[in-house]
Amino acid sequence: MPNTLVPGPDVVVETEVKHSRFLAALRRVETTADATAFTDEQRRLYPDARHHCWAFVVGDEQASRAERSSDDGEPGGTAGVPMLQVLHHRDLVNVAVVVTRWFGGIKLGAGGLVRAYSGAVAVALDSATLVHRERREVFTLAVGHGDAGRVDAELRGRGVSVLGVSYEDRAVFTVADRDPEHLASVVAAVTSGTGELESAGREWIDA
């Protein structure tokens, strides 16, 4: 089961190795374009740094997953790939990491660089909050506008994942649950038996 970062601000952690500063920044991303934009953003934020090494894994489905990395001028294989391996070790998807380095005047050697870059990512992940990703059956549920607030609160209160709501002629919730039978019983209870679930396929969601 893959993991990802909970939605929220970037996770940014700084480490130091032999006077070189390493700033690791993590962001949840949904596309490769998001990951590339994140790297470009970090470059603009820290133009005085010597290296901006990066790695990302995007895609819940293993068959279509995209993953890339860059050493950005460090010796080949000493930054991007070790960073990517840390993401693999934590079973992470939809995550990009950029490690920005300010050289401290002491060369670290190939092994030292590998440890420094992978260690920077590991420290940042240790301070991050992760969530599992699961592929679940998704349904829609339409209720009257006057009942929408109460139904929303009761669904969430009973452990149902409310993925979104749109307001048209009626309020239409998109919902998911590990157990469709449990979901049906909850919906029956909160709508007094009037609510009807309609299948909307399967999606990867935060569990």
Side-chain angles (χ1 to χ4, degrees), residues 40-56:
D40 292 341
E41 182 182 311
Q42 294 300 107
R43 289 184 189 278
R44 291 193 298 270
L45 281 173
Y46 308 108
D48 60 324
R50 179 172 290 192
H51 305 283
H52 302 274
C53 304
W54 53 265
F56 67 78

Side-chain angles (χ1 to χ4, degrees), residues 156-197:
R156 295 178 190 273
R158 300 185 188 212
V160 173
S161 297
V162 178
L163 307 181
V165 59
S166 61
Y167 295 94
E168 303 165 9
D169 293 339
R170 307 181 76 194
V172 180
F173 290 89
T174 302
V175 296
D177 191 82
R178 286 190 177 90
D179 181 355
E181 290 185 7
H182 171 257
L183 176 60
S185 67
V186 170
V187 167
V190 301
T191 65
S192 300
T194 62
E196 292 187 9
L197 289 168

Side-chain angles (χ1 to χ4, degrees), residues 3 7 13-14 30 34 36 38 42-43 48 50 70 84 94 99 109 112 132 160 163 167 170 182:
N3 304 304
V13 177
E14 183 173 323
E30 303 301 327
D34 290 342
T36 300
F38 179 43
Q42 294 300 107
R43 289 184 189 278
D48 60 324
R50 179 172 290 192
S70 170
L84 187 61
N94 303 332
V99 176
H132 292 306
V160 173
L163 307 181
Y167 295 94
R170 307 181 76 194
H182 171 257

Side-chain angles (χ1 to χ4, degrees), residues 1-4 60 65 91-93 131-134 204:
M1 183 186 304
N3 304 304
T4 192
D60 291 294
R65 194 170 291 164
D91 294 322
L92 286 164
V93 296
V131 63
H132 292 306
R133 296 283 287 171
E134 289 185 0
W204 286 90

Side-chain angles (χ1 to χ4, degrees), residues 7 14 21 27-28 33 37 53 68 72 87 89 96 103 107 125 132 147 154 158-159 167 178 184 186 193 196-197 204:
E14 183 173 323
R21 292 169 53 211
R27 178 177 292 180
R28 178 165 170 166
C53 304
R68 295 176 197 139
D72 192 41
L87 300 184
H89 181 69
F103 182 55
K107 292 185 177 181
L125 286 170
H132 292 306
D147 293 323
E154 291 197 30
R158 300 185 188 212
Y167 295 94
R178 286 190 177 90
V186 170
E196 292 187 9
L197 289 168
W204 286 90

Side-chain angles (χ1 to χ4, degrees), residues 15-174:
T15 55
E16 184 174 321
V17 179
K18 293 184 178 178
H19 305 298
S20 280
R21 292 169 53 211
F22 294 85
L23 188 77
L26 295 164
R27 178 177 292 180
R28 178 165 170 166
V29 294
E30 303 301 327
T31 66
T32 57
D34 290 342
T36 300
F38 179 43
T39 301
D40 292 341
E41 182 182 311
Q42 294 300 107
R43 289 184 189 278
R44 291 193 298 270
L45 281 173
Y46 308 108
D48 60 324
R50 179 172 290 192
H51 305 283
H52 302 274
C53 304
W54 53 265
F56 67 78
V57 180
V58 175
D60 291 294
E61 295 288 352
Q62 189 167 4
S64 58
R65 194 170 291 164
E67 51 186 59
R68 295 176 197 139
S69 64
S70 170
D71 297 312
D72 192 41
E74 294 283 26
T78 62
V81 169
M83 291 164 58
L84 187 61
Q85 288 173 339
V86 176
L87 300 184
H88 286 164
H89 181 69
R90 304 287 182 104
D91 294 322
L92 286 164
V93 296
N94 303 332
V95 172
V97 58
V98 180
V99 176
T100 298
R101 180 192 182 194
W102 289 266
F103 182 55
I106 300 175
K107 292 185 177 181
L108 303 183
L113 287 171
V114 169
R115 289 189 293 273
Y117 278 100
S118 61
V121 178
V123 170
L125 286 170
D126 286 343
S127 68
T129 302
L130 305 181
V131 63
H132 292 306
R133 296 283 287 171
E134 289 185 0
R135 197 161 188 247
R136 295 186 186 172
E137 290 187 57
V138 177
F139 301 86
T140 58
L141 170 68
V143 302
H145 290 284
D147 293 323
R150 177 187 60 79
V151 169
D152 190 355
E154 291 197 30
L155 289 173
R156 295 178 190 273
R158 300 185 188 212
V160 173
S161 297
V162 178
L163 307 181
V165 59
S166 61
Y167 295 94
E168 303 165 9
D169 293 339
R170 307 181 76 194
V172 180
F173 290 89
T174 302

